[in-house]
Structures are given as C-alpha cells and as structure tokens.
Amino acid sequence: MARIRWVKESEATGDAATAYEEWFAANPGRPEVPGILKCFSLRPDFFRDVVNMSDRVHFSEGHLSRRIKEMIATLVSALNLCPY
Amino acid sequence: MQDPNSDVQACLARADIAAAPIPENERALMRFVELVTKHAYKTTDDDVEALRSVGWTDPQIAEAVYITAMFAFFNRVADAFGLEDPNYFATIPGWWAKAEETPG
C-alpha cells in the first residue's frame, strides 16, 4: 500500500468499484490494477481521465512511433530519478 | 542476438543520451526531452528550430512534449505516493509494458 491510502480493489465501493470494474473489463487477464493507476482511485472520475489520457496518447494514431514514445518514457523517468 | 532496442533503453534508463545507439535526429529529440523535463522554462525558439532542422515536424515535437509532461505527472504522483514497485509504470498494460510482455 502506498503512503497515501488508495482504494484496494477488494474494498472498492460505489464509483471506485465501478471504475475498477471498467478497467478490469478493458484489461482482461490483469490480476490487479497497477499501483500507479490505483493512486487515482481516491477520485474515480479522475481515475478514468488518467486511464483515458494514457490510452489516448498510446493507442491513438499519433505522430511519434511507439518506439520513440517508449524512449521518452524511459528517459523522463530516469531523469526524474524514478525507480525504473 | 542482443536486441538493439534494449541497448537504447538501457542507456536511456541511465539518462545517458550520448551513449544511446540512436540516429542523431532521435538524439536531438532526447536532448529536448531532457530540457523540457529538467527546466522547461529554458526552452527557446532555437531549441524547437533545431528539431525542425533534423526533420521533426511540429506535431511530432508537440507530441514529444505531451508524453514528456505526462510522464513527469506519473513520476510525481508515484513518488509522492511512495510506490514500492520499482517498475511501477511497466505494469501499465500495452503502453510501456516490458517488451517481452507484449506479444509480437
């Protein structure tokens, strides 16, 4: 559990439960919601926006190849001294 | 055969843009990503012009900024929340999942 208590899948109720159900439906075979996304579970409406935002940038036919996008992702996280 | 892309990812995971085995136009884009990540306020017209001069279009430059900023957003949230999973964003399906996780 993160230091800010997010909503666990098993304890989700109301809109948080709905948001999680939608995510599992869109991501069959995933055992749990990734931690980075669970961070947004305190605001299920925003959780959906974040999921949509990351999907849109990735799945939409963008201007940059996926390879370049992943290079950017790797570099930014390294620069942010984020564990990678 | 060692996957060349993993060499690139390994260098970038150390933020070693100079060592990454990539074409010069991609190196210029990575330098821009570093600039926007570290001190976006220092971005100048020349920085953008330099990218155009090596073939990047404005839509591509704009998208690079979006993705750079999006990851800063995720990094800040992950750090503030204190995510233990060191590979936290590799578990996001499809997008930045590890290469071997995504079939084909």
Side-chain angles (χ1 to χ4, degrees):
Chain A
M1 171 63 83
R3 67 170 65 92
I4 300 170
R5 281 187 302 280
W6 58 39
V7 177
K8 290 201 188 89
E9 292 90 331
S10 54
E11 295 160 1
T13 58
D15 199 25
T18 310
Y20 277 167
E21 281 153 23
E22 289 160 6
W23 186 84
F24 278 115
N27 295 275
R30 303 294 304 212
E32 64 167 333
V33 177
I36 183 64
L37 293 180
K38 282 203 277 241
C39 292
F40 302 97
S41 57
L42 293 310
R43 277 284 302 274
D45 49 353
F46 188 43
F47 171 93
R48 293 186 181 89
D49 294 337
V50 170
V51 170
N52 291 335
M53 174 183 75
S54 59
D55 286 351
R56 175 163 331 274
V57 172
H58 173 63
F59 291 114
S60 65
E61 212 27 64
H63 306 296
L64 294 170
S65 68
R66 171 166 173 174
R67 176 175 163 276
I68 295 286
K69 291 180 189 176
E70 289 193 2
M71 285 164 62
I72 294 172
T74 302
L75 178 58
V76 170
S77 293
L79 291 167
N80 282 325
L81 295 182
C82 222
Y84 174 73
Chain B
M1 194 276 280
Q2 175 61 356
D3 159 20
N5 193 45
S6 66
D7 296 344
V8 174
Q9 293 293 63
C11 289
L12 296 178
R14 300 190 305 270
D16 190 348
I17 299 171
I22 52 178
E24 286 320 300
N25 66 327
E26 290 180 7
R27 199 179 317 282
L29 189 65
M30 291 305 116
R31 293 245 181 267
F32 182 70
V33 165
E34 180 176 39
L35 170 71
V36 171
T37 297
K38 286 185 168 176
H39 20 71
Y41 60 92
K42 289 186 178 173
T43 308
T44 63
D45 297 351
D46 292 345
D47 293 315
V48 173
E49 200 46 52
L51 295 178
R52 291 194 188 106
S53 68
V54 290
W56 297 106
T57 65
D58 282 34
Q60 289 178 315
I61 298 166
E63 191 169 278
V65 171
Y66 305 155
I67 296 164
T68 297
M70 189 171 82
F71 267 82
F73 166 73
F74 280 127
N75 294 159
R76 296 291 180 279
V77 170
D79 287 342
F81 273 70
L83 288 195
E84 300 94 27
D85 169 7
N87 231 339
Y88 72 88
F89 68 76
T91 57
I92 294 178
W95 165 232
W96 36 67
K98 277 269 171 296
E100 61 275 11
E101 277 175 24
T102 45

